[in-house]
Amino acid sequence: AMQIFLKALRWTSLVSFPVFLLATPNSPALAGSIGTCANSLISSGVTQSAAAAACSDALQPEDLALCVTDITATGIKGNEAVESCYRVRRPDELASCVTTISSGLEAGKGKSDMTLDSCRRSLLPERHAECTLDLATVSKISSEEAMKSCLAAEINPGNVSPGTEASPK
């Protein structure tokens, strides 16, 4: 019985070894995307250690790099951008939110940081950008107040919905 068990074990190891090799990810391709990501982040003003750590740990290094590149184009520092892009599930939507609000409103240093934080905290960043621009341009309220209102509407929709009064019949 022991000899049969040992034969089965040898066969299993011979068969499973090549299958394991086929299941291994293509490391040169992955390494290339991580290196490209790191170079892109470094050119966006991110420190080398932060770029290496973020790109090597990111699920989609290319998306992370594009997010940081787009956000730093609005005047936000690279290390702040990489921290925010790394913390969200969809860095492309975060970048879209930040660039849309920044291009649609006058952005100063404080407003850029607030825009990044507001978009990062939003559950639906692209919708958040649309809401912010609509409130700021149509309702003529400050961009800070527009961002706060749109963010509050996502988190507590019942608290910001207009009250309705029963009309007399």
Side-chain angles (χ1 to χ4, degrees):
M2 186 62 143
Q3 289 178 347
I4 294 173
F5 175 73
L6 291 174
K7 275 187 176 182
L9 185 62
R10 280 187 221 129
W11 268 107
T12 314
S13 65
L14 288 176
V15 171
S16 64
F17 184 70
V19 172
F20 172 76
L21 287 177
L22 293 175
T24 304
N26 187 356
S27 58
L30 184 59
S33 66
I34 292 172
T36 303
C37 171
N39 284 335
S40 177
L41 294 186
I42 291 167
S43 67
S44 294
V46 178
T47 62
Q48 289 180 348
S49 59
C55 291
S56 65
D57 197 37
L59 291 176
Q60 297 292 328
E62 301 90 1
D63 291 348
L64 177 70
L66 287 172
C67 177
V68 171
T69 301
D70 290 349
I71 290 177
T72 55
T74 67
I76 295 172
K77 292 184 180 178
N79 285 339
E80 293 172 14
V82 76
E83 183 180 328
S84 294
C85 291
Y86 181 78
R87 293 172 66 186
V88 297
R89 276 186 14 196
R90 295 192 175 141
D92 56 334
E93 290 185 19
L94 172 69
S96 174
C97 177
V98 172
T99 56
T100 300
I101 292 175
S102 295
S103 65
L105 302 173
E106 316 79 40
K109 173 64 175 146
K111 289 183 184 178
S112 295
D113 293 341
M114 185 175 188
T115 300
L116 178 62
D117 183 57
S118 184
C119 288
R120 184 190 54 78
R121 292 175 49 204
S122 174
L123 299 173
L124 302 168
E126 291 174 335
R127 169 118 169 63
H128 178 71
E130 179 184 341
C131 174
T132 299
L133 289 178
D134 285 350
L135 285 179
T137 55
V138 175
S139 301
K140 304 292 184 204
I141 63 174
S142 70
S143 56
E144 294 88 356
E145 190 61 37
M147 284 185 257
K148 287 178 186 175
S149 295
C150 292
L151 198 56
E154 291 177 38
I155 297 169
N156 302 310
N159 293 341
V160 295
S161 62
T164 56
E165 298 177 7
S167 57
K169 292 183 181 182

